[in-house]
């Protein structure tokens, strides 16, 4: 290898973070060695120097809490589920990268070590009062349940409580903001604040109304507790997480809701005269209702992200719409809709992201019987109904070369990698 090239490569290796060395060895070095034209080599060396300068100026890339648009809720209120290690294998085979659990169970955290999957953990409602009054307790929780598993387990988010506002528990509602703030401050104290997102999911019970979407506002008694949370989230860049279920809306009012509208099927849709927008599916309308409530509260720039959505495939209580065909239709069309990476009618530039509920049927769930039948997979790991998953058998074969498409689909689009991809494209153009 010519001395100039060798020096440039060594400098580039020092600049790149360790996580990029695989790309460096598998893509950059072979491409550079294939360039034999001296003029092309001089051009590529100039590009390398520019790359190093940009990399140094950009600094380390901030970790995103949600990769792509599709995630899954891994609930475990059941006595027949596979081990967390088998679940990791299933998730990787199904190519589901974003995973949310409802606690911080150490057996799960250990199973996710080295998996490359992005995990969001949760602090249960029962811990909120204690954490809200003592920041040191938040720090201790984070040290024990998060920091001790980093970096091998890719914990990208902490959910503080679940559907706290909109219930009748005023004491818990009063504790929520303090708990959120103390968890965030605890992450900052441990120098984890830039890498882990803090959030809390809400049910649609926080809204006074949601139809038409533009009329949606927060309930007055909720807004007193919601306002400081929204103000804090707007400062730290957290999204507004919403549990949105067209199934529940249809179940409670099947006479007035077109099931095709709820299932992303062909229908006349709904027209919102105030915004002059047309909705062809209920989920988009529910999301835009949340955007309207946020705008009315003074937070029109905040992203709405779906923390739960799904459709029950069965119910022994004769709940309307809970059939395996409807569940398949909803989840199949939802998956297609998310993979298009588009926004809603009211916020077309904000791509919709969602965690699907749920990974498995959970046979120990209480309340409505349909709660036990939201799973996309059976406890034995087989598909509950086909919504288009492929490659569910892990392959031992791994490619020896990465294409630009591979780099993109693995979401290596950090500040470093955008420049790296441009570099590869330039070198390829010079070779050709």
């Amino acid at each position: 290898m010519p001395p100039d090239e060798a020096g440039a490569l060594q400098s580039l290796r020092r600049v790149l973070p360790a996580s990029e060395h695989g790309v460096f060895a598998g893509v950059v070095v072979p491409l550079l060695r294939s360039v034999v034209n001296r003029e092309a080599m001089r051009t590529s060396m100039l590009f390398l120097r520019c790359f190093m300068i940009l990399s140094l100026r950009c600094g380390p890339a901030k970790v995103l809490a949600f990769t792509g648009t599709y995630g899954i809720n891994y609930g475990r209120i059941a006595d027949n589920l596979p081990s967390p290690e088998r679940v990791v294998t299933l998730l990787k085979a199904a190519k589901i990268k974003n995973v949310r659990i409802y606690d911080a169970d150490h057996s799960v955290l250990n199973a996710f070590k080295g998996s490359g999957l992005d995990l969001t953990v949760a602090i249960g409602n029962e811990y909120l009062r204690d954490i809200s009054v003592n920041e040191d307790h938040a720090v201790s929780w984070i040290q024990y349940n998060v920091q001790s598993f980093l970096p091998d387990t890719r914990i990208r988010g902490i959910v503080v409580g679940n559907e706290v506002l909109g219930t009748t528990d005023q004491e818990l509602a009063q504790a929520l903001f303090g708990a959120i703030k103390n968890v965030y401050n605890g992450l900052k104290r441990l120098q984890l604040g830039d890498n882990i997102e803090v959030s809390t999911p809400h049910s649609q019970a926080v809204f006074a109304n949601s139809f038409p979407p533009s009329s949606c506002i927060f309930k007055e008694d909720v807004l007193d507790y919601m306002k400081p949370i929204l103000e804090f989230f707007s400062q730290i860049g957290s999204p507004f997480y919403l549990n949105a279920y067209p199934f529940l809306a249809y179940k409670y009012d099947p006479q007035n809701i077109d099931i095709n509208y709820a299932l992303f099927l062909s229908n006349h849709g709904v027209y919102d005269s105030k915004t002059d927008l047309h909705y062809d599916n209920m989920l988009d309308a529910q999301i835009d209702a949340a955007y309207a409530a946020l705008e009315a509260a003074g937070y029109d720039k905040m992203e709405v992200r779906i923390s739960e959505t799904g459709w029950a495939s069965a119910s022994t209580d004769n709940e309307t719409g809970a059939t395996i065909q409807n569940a398949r239709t909803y989840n199949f069309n939802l998956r297609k809709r998310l993979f298009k990476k588009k926004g809603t009618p009211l916020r077309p530039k904000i791509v919709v992201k969602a965690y699907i509920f749920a990974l498995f049927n959970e046979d120990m769930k209480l309340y409505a019987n349909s709660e036990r039948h939201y799973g996309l997979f059976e406890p034995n790991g087989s598909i509950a109904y086909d919504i288009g998953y492929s490659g569910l058998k892990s392959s031992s074969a791994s490619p020896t070369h990465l294409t630009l498409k591979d780099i993109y689909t693995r979401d290596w689009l950090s500040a470093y990698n955008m420049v790296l991809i441009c570099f590869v494209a330039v070198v390829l153009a010079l070779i050709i």
Side-chain angles (χ1 to χ4, degrees):
M1 183 181 295
D4 288 346
E5 181 186 340
L9 288 173
Q10 288 300 320
S11 299
L12 179 57
R13 183 183 290 276
R14 286 194 295 271
V15 169
L16 285 171
S19 61
E20 308 294 356
H21 286 177
V23 183
F24 176 86
V27 179
V28 178
V29 174
L31 283 171
L32 281 176
R33 285 174 175 165
S34 68
V35 179
V36 294
N37 182 280
R38 289 184 177 274
E39 187 63 32
M41 181 62 74
R42 281 196 293 271
T43 303
S44 60
M45 288 303 104
L46 176 62
F47 195 91
L48 267 175
R49 293 188 183 98
C50 293
F51 170 82
M52 289 186 288
I53 292 171
L54 286 172
S55 297
L56 287 169
R57 288 180 178 177
C58 287
K62 185 176 179 179
V63 176
L64 299 175
F66 199 110
T67 301
T69 59
Y70 193 88
I72 197 86
N73 286 285
Y74 171 22
R76 305 189 319 283
I77 304 178
D79 59 5
N80 58 353
L81 298 184
S83 68
E85 289 77 15
R86 288 180 59 199
V87 171
V88 168
T89 301
L90 173 64
L91 291 166
K92 293 175 72 173
K95 298 181 174 61
I96 301 175
K97 186 173 178 61
N98 305 291
V99 185
R100 177 174 170 243
I101 59 176
Y102 291 86
D103 52 26
D105 186 276
H106 287 198
S107 67
V108 176
L109 300 184
N110 280 315
F112 273 72
K113 282 186 177 180
S115 68
L117 303 178
D118 290 342
L119 187 63
T120 293
V121 300
I123 299 176
N125 291 354
E126 64 271 24
Y127 300 108
L128 299 189
R129 294 176 179 85
D130 180 55
I131 290 178
S132 69
V133 297
N134 195 321
E135 187 178 301
D136 287 339
H137 291 178
V139 170
S140 297
W141 190 95
I142 296 166
Q143 287 175 322
Y144 182 64
N145 296 294
V146 176
Q147 189 178 43
S148 60
F149 293 92
L150 298 173
D152 293 337
T153 300
R154 293 166 58 94
I155 300 174
R156 296 294 184 255
I158 297 177
V159 171
V160 183
N162 185 51
E163 295 188 344
V164 172
L165 304 185
T167 68
T168 57
D169 193 332
Q170 298 300 308
E171 184 182 351
L172 197 60
Q174 291 171 355
L176 180 59
F177 175 58
I180 290 171
K181 194 170 182 180
N182 283 346
V183 168
Y184 179 78
N185 290 339
L187 288 170
K188 297 294 285 187
R189 281 172 57 180
L190 297 170
Q191 299 184 335
L192 299 173
D194 292 335
N195 299 325
I196 297 177
E197 177 188 85
V198 178
S199 64
T200 188
H202 304 285
S203 73
Q204 290 182 298
V206 300
F207 302 131
N209 58 291
S210 60
F211 182 84
S214 62
S215 69
C216 186
I217 57 173
F218 290 107
K219 292 178 178 176
E220 286 189 18
D221 59 336
V222 168
L223 196 55
D224 290 339
Y225 302 113
M226 182 72 77
K227 190 82 172 181
I229 294 172
L230 296 179
E231 180 63 27
F232 188 64
F233 280 179
S234 70
Q235 295 170 7
I236 67 175
S238 290
F240 179 89
Y241 272 102
L242 176 68
N243 295 342
Y245 285 93
F247 164 70
L248 296 179
Y250 175 75
K251 183 182 78 167
Y252 292 126
D253 193 10
Q255 288 78 26
N256 296 309
I257 295 176
D258 182 355
I259 193 168
N260 291 335
Y261 178 63
L263 295 176
F264 301 93
L265 295 174
S266 178
N267 66 93
H268 294 298
V270 171
Y271 176 69
D272 191 328
S273 59
K274 180 179 178 181
T275 55
D276 193 28
L277 294 174
H278 180 267
Y279 292 89
D280 60 11
N281 72 83
M282 184 182 289
L283 183 65
D284 278 4
Q286 290 178 333
I287 295 171
D288 277 356
Y291 276 124
L294 289 171
E295 186 170 346
Y299 300 94
D300 59 319
K301 304 299 183 185
M302 185 171 291
E303 175 193 355
V304 174
R305 195 175 296 170
I306 300 300
S307 41
E308 289 182 17
T309 188
W311 196 285
S313 62
S315 173
T316 57
D317 296 335
N318 296 319
E319 296 175 75
T320 303
T323 69
I324 195 166
Q325 180 59 38
N326 287 342
R328 180 200 174 277
T329 301
Y330 182 80
N331 283 294
F332 178 82
N333 289 329
L334 172 63
R335 189 165 177 258
K336 281 201 311 181
R337 187 253 181 272
L338 292 174
F339 284 0
K340 290 179 180 178
K341 298 183 178 180
K342 67 175 186 177
T344 60
L346 188 61
R347 295 287 188 271
K349 294 184 179 179
I350 303 179
V351 175
V352 174
K353 302 176 180 180
Y355 286 100
I356 312 307
F357 187 86
L359 186 59
F360 297 109
N361 290 326
E362 299 174 70
D363 65 352
M364 297 177 68
K365 293 289 286 288
L366 302 177
Y367 309 112
N369 183 264
S370 59
E371 287 278 327
R372 306 173 190 174
H373 300 282
Y374 277 88
L376 300 184
F377 293 89
E378 302 290 353
N380 63 9
S382 64
I383 302 172
Y385 42 83
D386 185 13
I387 63 169
Y389 287 116
S390 61
L392 287 178
K393 289 185 177 180
S394 300
S395 172
S396 59
S398 59
T400 55
H401 296 90
L402 293 171
T403 65
L404 289 175
K405 182 179 179 182
D406 293 328
I407 296 173
Y408 180 79
T409 55
R410 294 188 184 196
D411 217 26
W412 288 342
L413 297 180
S414 64
Y416 295 107
N417 298 312
M418 282 293 291
V419 181
L420 180 59
I421 291 170
C422 293
F423 164 70
V424 172
V426 168
V427 175
L428 283 172
L430 291 171
I431 295 172
I432 295 172

